[in-house]
Amino acid sequence: DDDNYFDFPEFAVITGDIAERARPDDYNEAIDFINKLSRLITNENPLSTGLLENNVIILPGNHDINWDISFARSLFSKPVEPEEKDKKGRLKTEIKFDKDNFNDLGYLHQYSWIPYEKFATSFVKKPWHFDPGYKIIDRSKEIHLIFVCINSSRWNVHHIAQKPEVPQTVFTEIRNELRDKYDSENTATKILLVHHTLDADATVENQLKIAETTERSELINTLSQECEFSLVLTGHIHKRAVSPIHTGNNKRSLNHIGAGTLKSNDTAKYDHPQFNLIRLYDLSPELNKFRKAAVFTFAYNGTQYRIEKASGDGTEEIDLIDIKYV
């Protein structure tokens, strides 16, 4: 219905990097913002009530790892030789560490997630971000959608090293849960929410990967063929994007939608904030799935928000997406 093209959204998605250094002050500001956003959605669109545990879906990024604790991890992993001296000629202290008893410093990596976990409990009943590292939100009966959230910073990412590699076993668990528990009849549009990007032009350390392989084709096959995602919403690289991804099957589509940045200390003043408004429509009565999506990208130019096309030559204001299913 074109008259309702700009209905107020039912919910919002924040795809990571909620904090700068995962400190309490960062999250206090974020809690205030998210609560205001949630109340706005509830007031403007009462139909959003009850669709989700909270009408703002949040997932972490690499900046949501506490850098202070993570830095301690890197110190332990690089012992100082006892004969090494500091600038005043004093011997430095040798750092000894029993890796076997602490599972190769994994405990410090886990502790570095505590500030985010405390923040997340303001909005979810049970934190999932470190254990098991993913969450499935089933709303197939209410709005014909299933969301899968993955913490791509969970396994091999901290503030010094950037390896957004999700183990194949995680994708296998997700695939089996989708097929056996949530969508055995394959009657819902599945959307992946993840921080690291699918943008093929991004640097290698910023791209989502499967841990056991460097082949991008393996990742695309896993997302499209195995887990049957139709849309992937990402963040991380401060770059808005709307692009189809070649799946090797003309009857099945996989579309990447990258968000701009709402607020950042490392970008030009008026290049942000940005956000995407995504509208799913053309629900197929046979498939019970959406066949089309429209993406409106809003960017603040210093005085107002304007719609700017995220792809192509910018002559049109809307990115239109065809969603195909086998």
Side-chain angles (χ1 to χ4, degrees):
D1 185 350
D2 292 338
D3 293 336
N4 294 322
Y5 212 72
F6 282 99
D7 281 352
F8 205 86
E10 281 85 1
F11 49 88
V13 174
I14 301 176
T15 50
D17 281 356
I18 294 166
E20 175 68 24
R21 299 176 69 91
R23 291 172 172 168
D25 287 347
D26 296 339
Y27 288 127
N28 289 337
E29 184 179 352
I31 287 172
D32 182 57
F33 169 77
I34 293 172
N35 281 330
K36 289 179 179 178
L37 178 59
S38 179
R39 288 194 298 269
L40 177 63
I41 294 172
T42 300
N43 292 337
E44 295 292 333
N45 191 340
L47 294 177
S48 68
T49 304
L51 289 180
L52 304 172
E53 181 178 342
N54 183 280
N55 54 19
V56 181
I57 302 175
I58 57 172
L59 57 146
N62 56 296
H63 280 262
D64 295 305
I65 304 169
N66 184 274
W67 289 10
D68 301 321
I69 300 174
S70 185
F71 184 67
R73 179 177 187 260
S74 69
L75 289 177
F76 276 121
S77 63
K78 297 178 181 179
V80 178
E81 295 297 329
E83 65 272 13
E84 187 177 350
K85 297 181 180 181
D86 63 18
K87 292 181 179 180
K88 293 184 178 182
R90 296 172 300 190
L91 288 175
K92 290 185 178 181
T93 303
E94 180 182 8
I95 299 175
K96 296 182 179 180
F97 197 83
D98 186 352
K99 291 185 178 182
D100 293 333
N101 288 340
F102 289 96
N103 190 24
D104 194 22
L105 308 176
Y107 80 108
L108 275 177
H109 183 53
Q110 182 172 357
Y111 282 175
S112 68
W113 282 100
I114 288 178
Y116 180 86
E117 295 282 3
K118 289 183 177 179
F119 153 78
T121 55
S122 300
F123 306 102
V124 296
K125 294 178 181 178
K126 182 180 179 182
W128 54 270
H129 314 91
F130 193 87
D131 183 17
Y134 71 89
K135 179 180 181 179
I136 299 176
I137 303 173
D138 179 17
R139 289 299 175 265
S140 55
K141 293 182 175 59
E142 297 88 347
I143 51 176
H144 313 283
L145 297 176
I146 294 177
F147 302 94
V148 177
C149 309
I150 295 181
N151 179 7
S152 55
S153 301
R154 154 67 177 88
W155 289 274
N156 291 310
V157 175
H158 56 84
H159 85 284
I160 295 174
Q162 186 73 269
K163 294 182 180 180
E165 301 172 344
V166 178
Q168 180 65 61
T169 54
V170 173
F171 287 114
T172 300
E173 290 174 10
I174 291 171
R175 178 200 64 189
N176 292 341
E177 286 192 46
L178 288 172
R179 292 182 179 181
D180 299 339
K181 182 178 179 181
Y182 293 101
D183 194 30
S184 59
E185 297 182 0
N186 196 15
T187 57
T189 299
K190 302 180 187 70
I191 301 177
L192 173 63
L193 312 176
V194 64
H195 179 61
H196 290 89
T197 188
L198 289 187
D199 190 334
D201 294 329
T203 56
V204 173
E205 64 269 18
N206 292 322
Q207 294 183 36
L208 182 68
K209 304 176 188 67
I210 293 176
E212 292 80 4
T213 179
T214 59
E215 295 296 328
R216 178 177 169 87
S217 59
E218 291 292 327
L219 172 67
I220 301 308
N221 180 72
T222 296
L223 299 182
S224 176
Q225 306 292 340
E226 295 295 317
C227 297
E228 299 182 320
F229 293 119
S230 298
L231 300 173
V232 181
L233 276 56
T234 69
H236 187 53
I237 60 172
H238 308 280
K239 178 184 176 182
R240 56 195 176 186
V242 178
S243 59
I245 295 176
H246 181 62
T247 65
N249 186 337
N250 292 330
K251 295 182 179 180
R252 183 191 299 277
S253 63
L254 178 67
N255 294 280
H256 172 226
I257 302 176
T261 301
L262 187 66
K263 178 182 178 182
S264 176
N265 293 330
D266 59 357
T267 54
K269 182 177 181 180
Y270 292 129
D271 191 36
H272 294 87
Q274 301 174 358
F275 64 90
N276 293 330
L277 178 64
I278 303 171
R279 177 179 182 260
L280 298 172
Y281 62 104
D282 192 12
L283 185 67
S284 167
E286 296 85 13
L287 300 175
N288 216 27
K289 300 178 180 180
F290 294 100
R291 293 183 292 198
K292 294 185 180 296
V295 183
F296 306 85
T297 298
F298 290 83
Y300 190 67
N301 65 2
T303 57
Q304 62 180 342
Y305 282 95
R306 299 184 63 181
I307 299 178
E308 298 182 1
K309 199 172 193 292
S311 64
D313 59 8
T315 58
E316 300 178 18
E317 293 183 335
I318 305 171
D319 284 285
L320 299 176
I321 295 173
D322 289 320
I323 306 176
K324 300 178 182 179
Y325 310 89
V326 174

